Amino acid sequence: MVLPMKSDYPNERAQYTDRELIQRLLGLSWKYRGRALLVILTQLTVLGLTLAGLALMGLGVDIIRYRGDLAELHLPFGLQLPPWTFLEALVAVSAAILCVALLRGALTYINTVITARLVQNIVINLRSRVYDKLQRLSFRFFDANESGSIINRVTTDVQRVRMFVDGVIVQIVLLLLTLTVNLVYMMGIHGWLTLVCLGTTPLLWLMTVTYSRHVRPRMLMVRRKFDELIMTLSENVQGVHVVKGFNREQNETAKFRAQNREIRDFQGSIFLWTAGFTASAAMLTQINIVLLVGYGGYLVMRDSLALGSGLLVFYGLLHQFSNQVATVATIANSAQMSLTGAERFFGILDTPVEIRSRPESQRLTNSRGAVTFENVTFGYTPDAPVLSDINLHIEPGQCVAVLGPTGSGKSTLLSLIPRFYDPTAGRVLIDGMDARAIHLDDLRRQIGLVFQESF
């Protein structure tokens, strides 16, 4: 028995709006809220330790500067040091910096492990769901979709959907909390200095949005081109005998090389935009530093701002703030890639299972083998029937050969018996029962198939 070749079926993938996709992705993310919250909490703890280390380093600088009189230290939020000697204060701050660094390193390791487990759990669950659905879909779905596209949905698109949890939701929450903490800390050091140094932030935000708007379509095009590349590779591996038999090696190599060049060209344009954005963001950061050194240095000279716990710590906070604003582009790109993958991912999950057992299906434990085609009509598309009004009865034990030229419908006819497809009109009877009324597992368990190609 030979299975039908791929036909020109329309792709039955559903179309979704961005709002629908985001709602479904949020619902999917909610299932992993426990681990995601744990990742956020450990990240925030690492952030707190980073700020603590920065503050301690600034305090150490001030202790060295005011070694003659520690009471002159200007600490943020009105804090005061205990009545220590210079040496006691220096040792205490050094020991605190060491403890914070060790604790931060341990928590960073724990956070990396927790994040990796979250990612892998999501990937395994999503990939298993897609694979399970593929096992139950009818041949019509596989006729409508190339194998390379299906493989990419199980691998690449699942990774994109996963990215929405750890690369979008988690990162957005961390971004908002980090910016808030940094801003509050900076305002606590000096309000006017904060406003002066963050004056270029709207420009950085505008650059980020512009970068995302121009890079996003190029990234989507790269993904489509990469899908085509995978499809070409898959087809060549499956059809290697044809390639070699017709001496097409050089032609196929040239085709593959041309596809690679297309991907390289689109990637090149992305690299140019990324390089320009990175350089511009770095320039704005340097402008902020110039403002900090100018105005902050003036405040230090007037003794309105401490050198270490003021100017030095402010520099570290400003650097972190700029880096966090720049991550908006990465989050936006991750979101767009997640939406692209989600459409294909949910397209598989939402594809109806055409061939299934009915709730009232009958069990078939021991078939006699009588097969009847009763006014059977079938077509892969409604307007192009392959079989028309077929009537055929085969007795148990009878040997029947179906002959005909290529494309006459032999394989299609035999595919109706195990319900690889259902007739458009008429019915197929097994031992006098409609095949659609028999439990699908029992029906196929009673039928032996010998395919043209071994698997």
Side-chain angles (χ1 to χ4, degrees):
M1 174 178 172
V2 182
L3 295 180
M5 299 295 289
K6 287 189 180 295
S7 59
D8 296 328
Y9 291 1
N11 193 318
E12 299 177 14
R13 174 169 58 86
Q15 300 295 326
Y16 307 93
T17 63
D18 286 349
R19 182 177 180 180
E20 292 172 337
L21 290 174
I22 291 175
Q23 288 177 343
R24 296 190 66 172
L25 286 170
L26 289 174
L28 187 148
S29 303
W30 184 250
K31 297 179 181 179
Y32 303 95
R33 60 190 180 276
R35 285 185 178 271
L37 181 60
L38 188 58
V39 170
I40 292 173
L41 291 177
T42 53
Q43 286 270 33
L44 289 178
T45 306
V46 171
L47 171 64
L49 291 173
T50 301
L51 296 179
L54 187 61
L56 288 170
M57 183 178 65
L59 180 59
V61 171
D62 286 339
I63 290 174
I64 296 173
R65 182 186 181 194
Y66 296 104
R67 59 178 299 177
D69 187 4
L70 298 182
E72 295 184 12
L73 290 176
H74 299 283
L75 301 181
F77 305 105
L79 299 177
Q80 294 292 332
L81 279 179
W84 287 334
T85 65
F86 167 72
L87 185 59
E88 289 174 339
L90 197 59
V91 171
V93 170
S94 300
I97 291 176
L98 179 60
C99 292
V100 168
L102 293 175
L103 187 56
R104 181 190 174 195
L107 281 176
T108 301
Y109 170 79
I110 293 174
N111 178 258
T112 303
V113 173
I114 294 174
T115 304
R117 287 180 176 175
L118 170 65
V119 169
Q120 292 307 314
N121 282 336
I122 296 174
V123 169
I124 289 173
N125 292 337
L126 297 183
R127 194 173 287 160
S128 298
R129 287 179 62 185
V130 175
Y131 189 79
D132 176 71
K133 185 59 179 287
L134 288 173
Q135 300 301 308
R136 295 182 286 111
L137 289 177
S138 66
F139 279 9
R140 188 179 297 274
F141 174 83
F142 296 94
D143 291 331
N145 296 274
E146 295 292 340
S147 59
S149 174
I150 296 175
I151 291 172
N152 277 341
R153 295 190 191 194
V154 181
T155 54
T156 306
D157 291 328
V158 165
Q159 291 286 357
R160 294 178 186 173
V161 173
R162 179 274 303 168
M163 192 184 300
F164 188 83
V165 180
D166 65 295
V168 179
I169 297 297
V170 172
Q171 293 304 318
I172 286 177
V173 174
L174 286 174
L175 174 66
L176 295 177
L177 292 176
T178 302
L179 291 179
T180 302
V181 170
N182 285 343
L183 185 59
V184 170
Y185 197 171
M186 293 165 70
M187 292 294 292
I189 294 175
H190 200 284
W192 283 108
L193 182 61
T194 303
L195 295 177
V196 170
C197 291
L198 297 184
T200 61
T201 300
L203 184 58
L204 180 60
W205 184 279
L206 179 62
M207 288 168 46
T208 301
V209 173
T210 303
Y211 165 78
S212 178
R213 184 181 297 121
H214 283 83
V215 169
R216 183 181 66 189
R218 289 171 171 82
M219 293 187 71
L220 295 177
M221 181 60 70
V222 168
R223 297 310 310 171
R224 285 194 288 268
K225 294 296 181 181
F226 189 73
D227 285 349
E228 294 175 4
L229 186 72
I230 295 297
M231 192 176 303
T232 299
L233 177 62
S234 175
E235 290 177 348
N236 274 268
V237 170
Q238 295 177 11
V240 64
H241 293 88
V242 177
V243 173
K244 291 182 177 297
F246 287 88
N247 194 29
R248 297 282 300 178
E249 293 92 340
Q250 293 184 356
N251 301 80
E252 294 301 321
T253 300
K255 177 182 176 182
F256 192 79
R257 186 180 293 115
Q259 290 178 323
N260 264 314
R261 287 199 188 102
E262 282 187 310
I263 295 176
R264 180 200 62 189
D265 293 340
F266 279 103
Q267 287 280 24
S269 63
I270 294 175
F271 293 154
L272 289 176
W273 273 96
T274 302
F277 173 77
T278 304
S280 301
M283 181 186 67
L284 286 180
T285 302
Q286 293 301 316
I287 293 176
N288 291 337
I289 293 175
V290 170
L291 295 175
L292 173 63
V293 171
Y295 186 45
Y298 170 75
L299 294 175
V300 171
M301 289 177 59
R302 294 188 56 186
D303 222 13
S304 301
L305 183 69
L307 176 62
S309 57
L311 188 63
L312 183 62
V313 172
F314 201 97
Y315 167 76
L317 293 171
L318 183 62
H319 184 69
Q320 289 188 16
F321 192 92
S322 299
N323 288 341
Q324 290 297 324
V325 174
T327 60
V328 173
T330 302
I331 296 175
N333 290 333
S334 298
Q336 292 301 323
M337 294 186 70
S338 296
L339 293 176
T340 304
E343 184 172 6
R344 290 154 58 97
F345 172 78
F346 291 124
I348 290 183
L349 295 186
D350 295 343
T351 300
V353 180
E354 296 180 359
I355 309 298
R356 64 169 65 194
S357 300
R358 296 176 178 176
E360 68 280 3
S361 59
Q362 304 178 39
R363 310 299 303 203
L364 182 65
T365 57
N366 189 14
S367 174
R368 295 185 303 108
V371 179
T372 302
F373 287 79
E374 191 176 88
N375 301 320
V376 170
T377 297
F378 174 78
Y380 295 110
T381 55
D383 55 345
V386 178
L387 304 173
S388 181
D389 198 22
I390 300 296
N391 289 279
L392 175 65
H393 179 72
I394 303 172
E395 293 290 344
Q398 185 179 3
C399 183
V400 176
V402 181
L403 305 178
T406 301
S408 60
K410 306 183 299 298
S411 300
T412 302
L413 180 71
L414 297 181
S415 296
L416 298 178
I417 300 176
R419 289 192 68 197
F420 292 155
Y421 303 91
D422 279 337
T424 306
R427 58 180 184 164
V428 178
L429 305 177
I430 306 295
D431 293 343
M433 294 185 295
D434 192 329
R436 289 169 290 196
I438 302 173
H439 196 280
L440 190 60
D441 292 342
D442 292 346
L443 173 65
R444 292 179 178 172
R445 196 174 288 121
Q446 299 294 323
I447 299 173
L449 301 176
V450 179
F451 292 92
Q452 184 176 6
E453 296 181 0
S454 61
F455 177 73

